[in-house]
Amino acid sequence: MNLDPTIGAEIRKTRPVVVVSSDAVGALPIRLVAPLSEWKDYFAQNVWHVKLVANNQNGLAKTSAIDTLQLRGIDTQRFVQKLGSVDEVNCRSNCSYN
């Protein structure tokens, strides 16, 4: 997803996101997303960072952090490409909650 332009400390540039909202929610082409960053060990102390281990289903190249503090509504025109998916079953074994 292309997250630019941004202001201040908002997460920026083109990066993977986890889409939190359903296509069935609302009539507008807006999705609630949580951006991903490369996982850093010190994120483990933050309750808002969820560790997501890379695998074939989610299409990530490296272990990442879902940054729930940066949730935002984004127009679907910002989507660049779909890498994969994360579902409840996948997240049980590949996500780490603090």
Side-chain angles (χ1 to χ4, degrees), residues 16-80:
V17 298
V18 171
V19 178
V20 179
S21 63
S22 164
D23 289 347
V25 176
L28 296 174
I30 302 285
R31 299 296 175 267
L32 182 61
V33 301
L36 302 180
S37 294
E38 181 179 0
W39 179 258
K40 307 283 189 221
D41 288 336
Y42 65 87
F43 288 168
Q45 66 189 344
N46 302 334
V47 296
W48 63 89
H49 283 120
V50 177
K51 185 177 186 180
L52 181 58
V53 177
N55 64 27
N56 289 337
Q57 183 177 352
N58 60 37
L60 295 173
K62 55 189 168 190
T63 298
S64 300
I66 303 170
D67 189 349
T68 63
L69 188 64
Q70 300 266 356
L71 280 170
R72 58 197 238 199
I74 300 292
D75 191 285
T76 56
Q77 292 181 60
R78 288 185 179 264
F79 285 99
V80 177

